[in-house]
Amino acid sequence: MPVKIVMVCLGNICRSPLAEGILASKLPKDKFTVDSAGTGSWHIGKHPDERSIATAKKNGLDISNQKAKHFNSTFFEEFDYIYVMDRSNYSDVTSLAKTEADKKKVKLVLEELNPIGKTDVPDPYYGGQNGFDLVYKMLNEATDILAKKLIEKHS
Ligand code: 4NP
């Protein structure tokens, strides 16, 4: 059984699709599956934002086939790790947790990178390309650490 990971943001069209693509590219496919979802339901079924697709592409990743999903309480059973992009996502996701064990699955994605610093991946939706480049950089650095830890833990 693969270890199942889900990356979560608000819309599931900007940050978490990039997070999914980046982390998946650093983990062996036979041992891990990486998915993404949004705490909001506006974009269900939509492909990622064009700017996220372009940012991924310029870094050698294709995320254009992803489709937005809505995070719900069944995700706590389905996934082993739930990484959220910001503190607002954290509070939305943990409010759906039924047990302490569920709640413990939820982590801010930047926590490992920045344990005492800024912990939010900023929402780039209303900004320009710079915001998407910054999101990519933050997620790329954080997932280097995460992927290493996950591979160590599950080998
Ligand atoms: P994301 O960005 O949470 O990184 O996917 C957003 C995308 C859409 C909206 C908000 C954030 N929206 O309000 O539609």
Side-chain angles (χ1 to χ4, degrees), residues 29-109:
K29 284 183 186 26
D30 57 329
K31 286 203 180 138
F32 297 91
T33 67
V34 188
D35 215 324
S36 66
T39 58
S41 57
W42 315 283
H43 302 288
I44 293 173
K46 283 200 207 144
H47 293 291
D49 187 285
E50 285 302 329
R51 295 164 295 176
S52 279
I53 293 177
T55 306
K57 196 171 174 189
K58 106 179 155 174
N59 289 285
L61 298 172
D62 181 3
I63 62 166
S64 61
N65 286 329
Q66 292 183 26
K67 284 196 182 154
K69 292 181 286 300
H70 188 203
F71 187 93
N72 65 64
S73 59
T74 65
F75 282 51
F76 287 105
E77 286 144 51
E78 191 177 341
F79 291 95
D80 304 297
Y81 296 91
I82 300 168
Y83 292 112
V84 296
M85 300 297 122
D86 65 30
R87 283 165 283 188
S88 162
N89 308 148
Y90 183 85
S91 102
D92 289 340
V93 167
T94 53
S95 74
L96 296 171
K98 294 191 184 88
T99 64
E100 271 307 301
D102 283 355
K103 198 173 168 191
K104 276 204 181 130
K105 289 185 179 180
V106 189
K107 295 264 186 303
L108 283 155
V109 71

Side-chain angles (χ1 to χ4, degrees), residues 9-17 42-43 89 123-126:
C9 64
L10 177 59
N12 192 206
I13 54 167
C14 297
R15 291 166 291 176
S16 58
W42 315 283
H43 302 288
N89 308 148
D123 185 347
Y125 188 58
Y126 293 105

